[in-house]
Amino acid sequence: MKALRWHNQKDLRLENIEEPKALNGKVKLKVEWCGICGSDLHEYTAGPIFIPTETHPLSGDKAPIVMGHEFSGQVVEVGEGVTTVQVGDRVTVEPIYACGECEACKQGKYNLCDKMGFYGLAGGGGGFSEYAAVPVEMIHKLPETVSFEQGALVEPSAVALHAVRQSKLKVGDKAAVFGTGPIGLLVIEALKASGASEIYAVELSEIRQQKAAELGAIVIDPKKYDAVEEIYKRTNGGVDVAYEVTGVPPVLKQAINATKIDGETMVVSIFEKEAPIHPHDIVMKERSLTGIIGYRDVFPAVISLMAQGYFPADKLVTKRIKLDDVIEEGFEGLLREKDQVKILVKAE
């Protein structure tokens, strides 16, 4: 079958590899759609970051690995011992590997596992392929009202919903989202579902500004305004919670300073470089700074919200391509076309 494999930085290859089997405890899927994540792009341009160059303790795999962790598909085969899923089920994948034994896992915080990895980044297979064999515990069924395209958005939407759930945000609070790429736009949707009264979106890209406005956010263009001053003015002292979703060091300071007294900044993005901040920006206003990685226990809630119309693919997906074009039109396309939001890849 065709599959996209990461060999090294700037070295992705679309190769013919052996089709996987549904071994004990696994489910074989015909992949329908797979999204290109910011993490995938980071691995392409600056990796390895999450991709193991030595054998991963949970996946038992190492580079070269099949990429893709935001995907949906249909069950075509079930392995021995699998009783919760059957052939024909429409599903999405929660791609976290966790050991189940470390302190984080014992506390139920499996996304903080000492050995944590992602299917499609840490090995084992991936969604940029025609078929994938996935541990059954990663499988979540999709209702008929949620399309396969929506199914490929469940994973990134889970990041957004987890970020909002872990923050201090309460119904009626005001929020700011710094950066409205795919995750930032999904954070806006999660904030809407959580009852935020005002959502400010700080974004440079005009197309992403339009997407944020379509989702109901109040757009602030940092080319035209000092974002912190503008948010202060419009909110009479700052937002309750700011979400940093750019990974750009200077933006973290802006996000902190856009919050009110006792406000919170939630770091959602992955930073490639250190981000210097002045502790006085936190101390003098008794603000808090926290962060999340991935998600836990939110896939069912995301799927339910999707069935109600949240996280709409038609407003978030800007490009749909075939697996044959994933390198040039997908990864290279995202580097060329800075206004792209979410690219979905069709496995054929």
Side-chain angles (χ1 to χ4, degrees):
M1 68 170 187
K2 286 184 291 189
L4 180 74
R5 297 213 296 173
W6 186 98
H7 284 259
N8 211 326
Q9 186 180 124
K10 279 285 191 174
D11 185 6
L12 300 181
R13 304 178 198 175
L14 194 59
E15 299 175 326
N16 279 309
I17 66 171
E18 186 176 350
E19 198 171 296
K21 295 180 174 63
L23 302 177
N24 185 38
K26 290 192 174 182
V27 176
K28 181 177 176 180
L29 310 180
K30 170 69 178 74
V31 178
E32 290 292 333
W33 290 98
C34 185
I36 302 178
C37 176
S39 300
D40 296 326
L41 198 60
H42 284 310
E43 295 288 357
Y44 179 50
T45 60
I49 301 169
F50 292 108
I51 291 175
T53 54
E54 301 294 332
T55 302
H56 191 277
L58 299 181
S59 74
D61 206 352
K62 65 177 180 179
I65 59 98
V66 179
M67 295 189 77
H69 60 277
E70 303 179 355
F71 65 104
S72 63
Q74 188 158 27
V75 177
V76 294
E77 185 183 338
V78 297
E80 185 179 346
V82 174
T83 59
T84 55
V85 179
Q86 59 186 11
V87 172
D89 282 348
R90 304 166 64 259
V91 301
T92 189
V93 176
E94 180 176 359
I96 291 183
Y97 286 114
C99 72
E101 299 173 352
C102 68
E103 188 57 35
C105 285
K106 288 176 183 176
Q107 293 181 28
K109 298 176 180 177
Y110 57 88
N111 59 316
L112 307 181
C113 173
D114 290 342
K115 299 176 182 177
M116 189 269 284
F118 289 90
Y119 183 95
L121 281 174
F128 293 129
S129 60
E130 294 179 83
Y131 294 91
V134 182
V136 67
E137 59 268 21
M138 296 183 180
I139 296 293
H140 293 265
K141 295 180 185 178
L142 297 173
E144 289 299 326
T145 52
V146 175
S147 69
F148 282 121
E149 280 197 9
Q150 290 289 160
L153 293 179
V154 173
E155 196 274 350
S157 300
V159 175
L161 189 60
H162 182 57
V164 174
R165 278 184 163 189
Q166 290 297 106
S167 72
K168 293 179 180 178
L169 186 98
K170 300 184 293 295
V171 173
D173 280 355
K174 299 174 184 178
V177 179
F178 284 78
T180 59
I183 299 295
L185 292 171
L186 292 166
V187 169
I188 291 171
E189 279 292 289
L191 286 166
K192 286 161 58 180
S194 302
S197 61
E198 294 177 14
I199 306 168
Y200 295 88
V202 182
E203 173 60 54
L204 286 166
S205 160
E206 290 185 9
I207 287 183
R208 290 179 172 183
Q209 287 174 10
Q210 291 171 12
K211 291 289 182 184
E214 285 175 18
L215 294 177
I218 303 162
V219 173
I220 295 176
D221 186 342
K223 297 190 298 292
K224 298 177 181 177
Y225 303 100
D226 179 307
V228 174
E229 287 183 5
E230 191 66 15
I231 288 171
Y232 249 70
K233 183 172 70 178
R234 296 194 190 198
T235 58
N236 193 29
V239 293
D240 297 278
V241 186
Y243 299 83
E244 198 296 313
V245 207
T246 68
V248 177
V251 177
L252 178 58
K253 182 178 179 67
Q254 293 174 15
I256 292 169
N257 287 321
T259 62
K260 67 175 190 178
I261 292 170
D262 194 34
E264 179 187 34
T265 300
M266 170 63 73
V267 181
V268 186
S269 53
I270 299 296
F271 281 74
E272 291 183 1
K273 300 176 182 178
E274 290 186 3
I277 60 173
H278 201 305
H280 279 194
D281 291 337
I282 296 171
V283 171
M284 299 308 291
K285 300 287 186 181
E286 292 194 357
R287 293 166 167 141
S288 59
L289 176 66
T290 188
I292 58 105
I293 181 69
Y295 36 76
R296 59 178 178 267
D297 303 321
V298 296
F299 266 54
V302 170
I303 293 167
S304 178
L305 287 168
M306 282 184 170
Q308 297 173 49
Y310 289 99
F311 309 109
D314 60 331
K315 291 185 179 178
L316 296 164
V317 177
T318 50
K319 194 175 184 181
R320 295 163 178 83
I321 61 175
K322 295 181 179 179
L323 185 58
D324 286 339
D325 301 321
V326 66
I327 299 174
E328 182 57 32
E329 292 299 317
F331 284 80
E332 286 294 330
L334 282 168
L335 295 176
R336 285 193 310 267
E337 304 158 21
K338 299 299 184 183
D339 287 334
Q340 288 292 345
V341 178
K342 175 58 69 176
I343 296 178
L344 290 187
V345 180
K346 179 71 170 174
E348 295 181 338

